[in-house]
PDB file of all heavy atoms in Angstrom:
ATOM      1  N   SER A 151      77.893 -28.712 -65.879  1.00  0.00           N
ATOM      2  CA  SER A 151      77.704 -28.967 -67.359  1.00  0.00           C
ATOM      3  C   SER A 151      77.148 -27.761 -68.075  1.00  0.00           C
ATOM      4  O   SER A 151      77.180 -27.747 -69.288  1.00  0.00           O
ATOM      5  CB  SER A 151      76.720 -30.152 -67.497  1.00  0.00           C
ATOM      6  OG  SER A 151      75.481 -29.861 -66.984  1.00  0.00           O
ATOM      7  N   ASN A 185      52.165 -10.706 -43.784  1.00  0.00           N
ATOM      8  CA  ASN A 185      52.666 -12.017 -44.227  1.00  0.00           C
ATOM      9  C   ASN A 185      54.230 -12.051 -44.478  1.00  0.00           C
ATOM     10  O   ASN A 185      54.768 -12.978 -44.980  1.00  0.00           O
ATOM     11  CB  ASN A 185      52.026 -12.520 -45.474  1.00  0.00           C
ATOM     12  CG  ASN A 185      50.542 -12.850 -45.246  1.00  0.00           C
ATOM     13  OD1 ASN A 185      50.240 -14.036 -44.990  1.00  0.00           O
ATOM     14  ND2 ASN A 185      49.663 -11.881 -45.293  1.00  0.00           N
ATOM     15  N   SER A 206      73.951   9.811 -35.491  1.00  0.00           N
ATOM     16  CA  SER A 206      74.372  10.315 -36.833  1.00  0.00           C
ATOM     17  C   SER A 206      73.252   9.953 -37.845  1.00  0.00           C
ATOM     18  O   SER A 206      72.655   8.908 -37.793  1.00  0.00           O
ATOM     19  CB  SER A 206      75.656   9.629 -37.217  1.00  0.00           C
ATOM     20  OG  SER A 206      76.008   9.983 -38.581  1.00  0.00           O
ATOM     21  N   SER A 209      73.871   6.823 -40.002  1.00  0.00           N
ATOM     22  CA  SER A 209      73.376   5.498 -39.571  1.00  0.00           C
ATOM     23  C   SER A 209      72.150   5.108 -40.357  1.00  0.00           C
ATOM     24  O   SER A 209      71.970   3.936 -40.701  1.00  0.00           O
ATOM     25  CB  SER A 209      73.062   5.530 -38.100  1.00  0.00           C
ATOM     26  OG  SER A 209      74.156   5.810 -37.281  1.00  0.00           O
ATOM     27  N   GLN A 238      81.424  28.076 -30.890  1.00  0.00           N
ATOM     28  CA  GLN A 238      82.528  27.466 -31.617  1.00  0.00           C
ATOM     29  C   GLN A 238      82.072  27.036 -33.045  1.00  0.00           C
ATOM     30  O   GLN A 238      82.827  26.459 -33.787  1.00  0.00           O
ATOM     31  CB  GLN A 238      83.085  26.253 -30.881  1.00  0.00           C
ATOM     32  CG  GLN A 238      83.703  26.689 -29.535  1.00  0.00           C
ATOM     33  CD  GLN A 238      84.272  25.479 -28.807  1.00  0.00           C
ATOM     34  OE1 GLN A 238      84.175  24.370 -29.286  1.00  0.00           O
ATOM     35  NE2 GLN A 238      84.854  25.710 -27.639  1.00  0.00           N
ATOM     36  N   SER A 256      59.258  22.903 -23.889  1.00  0.00           N
ATOM     37  CA  SER A 256      60.072  23.950 -24.493  1.00  0.00           C
ATOM     38  C   SER A 256      60.720  24.718 -23.415  1.00  0.00           C
ATOM     39  O   SER A 256      60.387  24.631 -22.210  1.00  0.00           O
ATOM     40  CB  SER A 256      59.228  24.867 -25.405  1.00  0.00           C
ATOM     41  OG  SER A 256      58.415  25.618 -24.533  1.00  0.00           O
ATOM     42  N   MET A 283      57.093  29.451 -33.746  1.00  0.00           N
ATOM     43  CA  MET A 283      58.403  30.151 -33.683  1.00  0.00           C
ATOM     44  C   MET A 283      58.723  30.433 -32.262  1.00  0.00           C
ATOM     45  O   MET A 283      57.872  30.927 -31.486  1.00  0.00           O
ATOM     46  CB  MET A 283      58.382  31.425 -34.482  1.00  0.00           C
ATOM     47  CG  MET A 283      58.059  31.260 -35.939  1.00  0.00           C
ATOM     48  SD  MET A 283      59.341  30.313 -36.845  1.00  0.00           S
ATOM     49  CE  MET A 283      60.674  31.553 -36.816  1.00  0.00           C
ATOM     50  N   PRO A 358      42.776   5.361 -47.975  1.00  0.00           N
ATOM     51  CA  PRO A 358      41.897   4.968 -49.029  1.00  0.00           C
ATOM     52  C   PRO A 358      40.490   5.618 -48.771  1.00  0.00           C
ATOM     53  O   PRO A 358      40.197   6.170 -47.750  1.00  0.00           O
ATOM     54  CB  PRO A 358      41.753   3.451 -48.801  1.00  0.00           C
ATOM     55  CG  PRO A 358      42.088   3.262 -47.357  1.00  0.00           C
ATOM     56  CD  PRO A 358      43.064   4.254 -47.013  1.00  0.00           C
ATOM     57  N   ALA A 393      38.139  21.044 -24.375  1.00  0.00           N
ATOM     58  CA  ALA A 393      38.120  21.288 -22.954  1.00  0.00           C
ATOM     59  C   ALA A 393      39.282  22.183 -22.546  1.00  0.00           C
ATOM     60  O   ALA A 393      39.144  23.064 -21.596  1.00  0.00           O
ATOM     61  CB  ALA A 393      38.261  19.897 -22.218  1.00  0.00           C
ATOM     62  N   TYR A 398      38.492  26.351 -29.565  1.00  0.00           N
ATOM     63  CA  TYR A 398      38.805  25.247 -30.493  1.00  0.00           C
ATOM     64  C   TYR A 398      37.554  24.893 -31.207  1.00  0.00           C
ATOM     65  O   TYR A 398      36.475  24.647 -30.648  1.00  0.00           O
ATOM     66  CB  TYR A 398      39.414  24.061 -29.694  1.00  0.00           C
ATOM     67  CG  TYR A 398      39.728  22.892 -30.598  1.00  0.00           C
ATOM     68  CD1 TYR A 398      41.020  22.785 -31.161  1.00  0.00           C
ATOM     69  CD2 TYR A 398      38.805  21.884 -30.855  1.00  0.00           C
ATOM     70  CE1 TYR A 398      41.376  21.689 -31.913  1.00  0.00           C
ATOM     71  CE2 TYR A 398      39.174  20.813 -31.665  1.00  0.00           C
ATOM     72  CZ  TYR A 398      40.434  20.708 -32.161  1.00  0.00           C
ATOM     73  OH  TYR A 398      40.793  19.625 -32.948  1.00  0.00           O
ATOM     74  N   ILE A 440      49.474  12.533 -28.706  1.00  0.00           N
ATOM     75  CA  ILE A 440      49.725  12.664 -30.112  1.00  0.00           C
ATOM     76  C   ILE A 440      48.631  13.523 -30.759  1.00  0.00           C
ATOM     77  O   ILE A 440      47.437  13.265 -30.576  1.00  0.00           O
ATOM     78  CB  ILE A 440      49.760  11.285 -30.800  1.00  0.00           C
ATOM     79  CG1 ILE A 440      50.844  10.450 -30.159  1.00  0.00           C
ATOM     80  CG2 ILE A 440      50.027  11.426 -32.258  1.00  0.00           C
ATOM     81  CD1 ILE A 440      52.257  10.958 -30.196  1.00  0.00           C
ATOM     82  N   SER A 546      67.165 -10.002 -50.458  1.00  0.00           N
ATOM     83  CA  SER A 546      65.730 -10.099 -50.480  1.00  0.00           C
ATOM     84  C   SER A 546      65.046  -8.749 -50.761  1.00  0.00           C
ATOM     85  O   SER A 546      63.860  -8.661 -51.027  1.00  0.00           O
ATOM     86  CB  SER A 546      65.163 -10.616 -49.192  1.00  0.00           C
ATOM     87  OG  SER A 546      65.377  -9.675 -48.117  1.00  0.00           O
ATOM     88  N   THR A 559      45.127 -15.916 -42.636  1.00  0.00           N
ATOM     89  CA  THR A 559      43.904 -16.759 -42.790  1.00  0.00           C
ATOM     90  C   THR A 559      42.764 -15.906 -43.452  1.00  0.00           C
ATOM     91  O   THR A 559      41.689 -16.487 -43.575  1.00  0.00           O
ATOM     92  CB  THR A 559      43.450 -17.192 -41.406  1.00  0.00           C
ATOM     93  OG1 THR A 559      43.183 -16.121 -40.581  1.00  0.00           O
ATOM     94  CG2 THR A 559      44.528 -18.114 -40.812  1.00  0.00           C
ATOM     95  N   LEU A 601      87.436 -28.586 -45.345  1.00  0.00           N
ATOM     96  CA  LEU A 601      88.745 -28.795 -45.983  1.00  0.00           C
ATOM     97  C   LEU A 601      89.793 -27.724 -45.720  1.00  0.00           C
ATOM     98  O   LEU A 601      90.804 -27.941 -45.134  1.00  0.00           O
ATOM     99  CB  LEU A 601      88.544 -28.974 -47.580  1.00  0.00           C
ATOM    100  CG  LEU A 601      87.704 -30.193 -47.960  1.00  0.00           C
ATOM    101  CD1 LEU A 601      87.583 -30.189 -49.514  1.00  0.00           C
ATOM    102  CD2 LEU A 601      88.303 -31.465 -47.472  1.00  0.00           C
ATOM    103  N   PRO A 607      90.059 -12.661 -43.492  1.00  0.00           N
ATOM    104  CA  PRO A 607      90.402 -11.326 -42.929  1.00  0.00           C
ATOM    105  C   PRO A 607      90.920 -11.482 -41.482  1.00  0.00           C
ATOM    106  O   PRO A 607      90.396 -12.375 -40.746  1.00  0.00           O
ATOM    107  CB  PRO A 607      89.118 -10.527 -42.988  1.00  0.00           C
ATOM    108  CG  PRO A 607      88.028 -11.521 -43.108  1.00  0.00           C
ATOM    109  CD  PRO A 607      88.563 -12.779 -43.841  1.00  0.00           C
ATOM    110  N   GLY A 733      87.701 -13.675 -48.455  1.00  0.00           N
ATOM    111  CA  GLY A 733      87.813 -14.956 -47.709  1.00  0.00           C
ATOM    112  C   GLY A 733      86.782 -16.000 -48.106  1.00  0.00           C
ATOM    113  O   GLY A 733      85.600 -15.664 -48.248  1.00  0.00           O
TER     114      GLY A 733
END
Side-chain angles (χ1 to χ4, degrees):
S151 65
N185 290 267
S206 175
S209 298
Q238 297 180 0
S256 72
M283 300 293 292
Y398 180 90
I440 303 299
S546 68
T559 58
L601 296 180

